[in-house]
Amino acid sequence: MAKKISILDIAKALGVSPTTVSFVLNGRAKEKRISERLEEQVLKYVNEIGYKPNSLARSLRTGKTNTIGLVVESISNTFFSNIARAIEDIAYANGYRILYSSTENSIERTRAILQMFADRQVDGYIISPPEGVEAEIQRLVEGKKPVVLFDRMIDKLGLDSVSINNEFSAYNATKVFLGNGYKLIACVTLDSRQQQMKDREEGYVKALEDSALSPIVYKADFDISDDDFKNGFSSFLTQHAGIDAILFTTNYLAIKGLRHLRNMGYKVGETFGLIAFDEHDLFELHQPPITVIAQPIEEIAQKLIALLLDRLGTDRILEPQHLVLPTTLQLRASSNKNLFR
Amino acid sequence: MAKKISILDIAKALGVSPTTVSFVLNGRAKEKRISERLEEQVLKYVNEIGYKPNSLARSLRTGKTNTIGLVVESISNTFFSNIARAIEDIAYANGYRILYSSTENSIERTRAILQMFADRQVDGYIISPPEGVEAEIQRLVEGKKPVVLFDRMIDKLGLDSVSINNEFSAYNATKVFLGNGYKLIACVTLDSRQQQMKDREEGYVKALEDSALSPIVYKADFDISDDDFKNGFSSFLTQHAGIDAILFTTNYLAIKGLRHLRNMGYKVGETFGLIAFDEHDLFELHQPPITVIAQPIEEIAQKLIALLLDRLGTDRILEPQHLVLPTTLQLRASSNKNLFR
DNA sequence: TTGTATGCGTTATCAG
DNA sequence: CTGATAACGCATACAA
């Protein structure tokens, strides 16, 4: 590092005052009407010795850390890691760094994370909140830190948010099943009060109601073990004999389901319809290719960070924005048994 | 937040000096022989008002930020996001936070990232370095910051590192092809001077040499477009008619390859062998299931962070450690055409 | 146009 | 055992 050089050393070496150096460094030379010669001289010297301001000291002074706290369910989940990847780029381009952390849907963990982020004095937050952390998030807002939510909403807090039209997406997907002649359509979802999960289920239910059919729903815990899922899921299937299509409301439930369906001898595609939420690298290559409800990852990331940077840029409290982005139904063979005839 | 309270306020409120409060807060009460009554009193008050020390100020003073810089190729790659996930946990448990960034194999980007991390004064680095950043990493080391490398090595720097036995893994996998009766075995790899890629290729070559066969290698650029890959790959296949097995040295090349092989009508599994580096969610569910060389992700992460924490804990310069972990060859149908007879 | 002095919240050095 | 007080490096109000 050789991080010994401070603004003072520069000032001394050049025989000017630290203020002058500071102004030049912050691009306020013109504004402060510092002579161009001097400005150049400072810039040149700074460049020569490779001086970099100490961001800690600067942050301590200004109260800004140029850091954004990103709280996701799990960074190892492709949906979130892709979001993170996209956010990273835009944040960096705007001079912000990312501190991230995975909640694993645990309230405890989330509390700890938020506490840490607060300690670190991040300037703003992007959060996909688990259930039950309303109070903590509320506290952030009270601390005047901008917060943008995604993936899951917490309506009552009136925060900026970016989400997708969950209900319609599920409704639409279920309609595809119906249109393709599936009769007994089930929904496998999370046992959760998260709004987006409820919405997805609701969309499914409504589509069935349109055709005077009754919903068949299996709910699994977020952190269900493979064994428990297997047991629960297979007894669900035998209980409701004749199910010929399933809408999975999350990606990893779909993967779990796919595995067990195959093990149990169901012919996904040929006789059994399947649609999953969220795109996945290999869904297209799966045999049969899996129909998915794809979220616009890039766009979500863009809107999130744009919203946050917006808030970061001003002190005024703006009307909260709720962006609802459309999904894309990526039609593949798994939702159309007619292709197999 | 209400982050107005400082150690000074506490001192005033309690009628003691800031020093005392500081000592108590840092658990040095005993050491400094501060009366227990006073200690309790301070602790109690601090707890009551929910005071949290300002980590910025502390870092400025101590020169430690309790932050680790994690530099990966791309956080959206499952291998790296899983590593990141595992590292995150252990780091947090030890009081460290993670700043991360994706290089996308660009020297420019990596330089910028390293610069940023240095500005942020991270305490240590975990890096999977692209080619050509030796000088920059060297500089970190000169700045007395511990650096642990993974996935790719830079031998001459003599840094701590965690890697896998790339050559043997590829050798072993190729042997499986040979044992299962494949005749014309190709290798698809990265056009790169990265040591681990050369090692993988070398393992493949050696296995073939054992049987007096000549290697057939296709090399693609790291950031090759789908179209370019398609063109290059298919002309490679026609040039070397009769190829009946391929070892892919990276996960995403395998996925690209899989896609094009399917489009071109090759019957992976039945008549065409395939083995890929790195596990993937859906490889097991693919039809046929894909044989992979699986890296011990948890263990890699554990060793990385353990090594780094070790270095962080002491000033002494220790003999650099090079941990080489074994991979697991996950045998599935894609590498055994006999299963299809 | 530039310099001086002060504070951000901690920790550490030294006295007492 | 405890309390002043000086740093850490930067930014800014205020002077000159």
Side-chain angles (χ1 to χ4, degrees), chain B residues 91-314:
Chain B
Y92 278 60
N94 285 278
Y96 283 87
R97 320 287 165 253
I98 305 290
L99 263 179
Y100 79 91
S101 213
S102 308
T103 66
E104 298 299 339
N105 253 6
S106 146
I107 299 186
E108 292 304 312
R109 276 189 74 107
T110 309
R111 283 209 186 107
I113 291 166
L114 258 22
Q115 179 59 254
M116 280 180 356
F117 282 1
D119 290 356
R120 289 302 171 110
Q121 288 163 272
V122 302
D123 293 336
Y125 298 81
I126 295 178
I127 309 180
S128 88
E131 310 167 53
V133 296
E134 289 77 6
E136 281 75 10
I137 293 183
Q138 179 61 37
R139 210 171 303 147
L140 300 181
V141 179
E142 283 162 8
K144 305 283 182 244
K145 298 294 182 189
V147 176
V148 182
L149 262 29
F150 78 108
D151 194 50
R152 306 102 196 261
M153 304 298 89
I154 301 179
D155 285 340
K156 57 185 166 194
L157 294 185
L159 290 173
D160 293 307
S161 69
V162 178
S163 59
I164 56 162
N165 51 359
N166 285 293
E167 183 175 324
F168 175 76
S169 300
Y171 176 86
N172 193 29
T174 311
K175 283 289 191 188
V176 165
F177 276 146
L178 290 167
N180 285 339
Y182 292 92
K183 301 297 179 200
L184 221 53
I185 303 164
C187 175
V188 172
T189 185
L190 239 38
D191 189 6
S192 152
R193 278 163 305 145
Q194 286 170 23
Q195 193 56 46
Q196 92 278 16
M197 286 303 153
K198 289 199 289 190
D199 289 349
R200 291 175 189 184
E201 187 181 339
E202 186 63 19
Y204 155 81
V205 170
K206 285 210 174 134
L208 289 190
E209 279 173 353
D210 284 358
S211 306
L213 296 172
S214 0
I216 317 169
V217 178
Y218 175 65
K219 297 191 178 191
D221 281 342
F222 168 77
D223 49 4
I224 192 169
S225 71
D226 270 1
D227 275 353
D228 286 352
F229 179 81
K230 187 174 145 188
N231 294 334
F233 187 48
S234 57
S235 69
F236 170 78
L237 285 173
T238 51
Q239 244 169 67
H240 302 275
I243 288 178
D244 62 353
I246 298 184
L247 171 67
F248 286 92
T249 64
T250 84
N251 198 275
Y252 68 90
L253 280 179
I255 293 175
K256 274 185 201 293
L258 217 41
R259 176 169 293 126
H260 292 303
L261 284 170
R262 202 194 50 174
N263 291 343
M264 290 184 282
Y266 285 85
K267 298 279 179 220
V268 171
E270 289 184 50
T271 59
F272 202 95
L274 198 154
I275 299 181
F277 255 85
D278 296 346
E279 185 60 285
H280 192 291
D281 266 4
L282 287 185
F283 274 171
E284 192 198 340
L285 287 177
H286 188 270
Q287 219 47 268
I290 308 290
T291 293
V292 298
I293 296 161
Q295 301 199 41
I297 293 192
E298 274 292 331
E299 207 185 340
I300 292 176
Q302 262 169 34
K303 299 290 187 197
L304 279 173
I305 193 82
L307 228 39
L308 190 61
L309 290 175
D310 228 45
R311 292 348 189 197
L312 248 19
T314 172

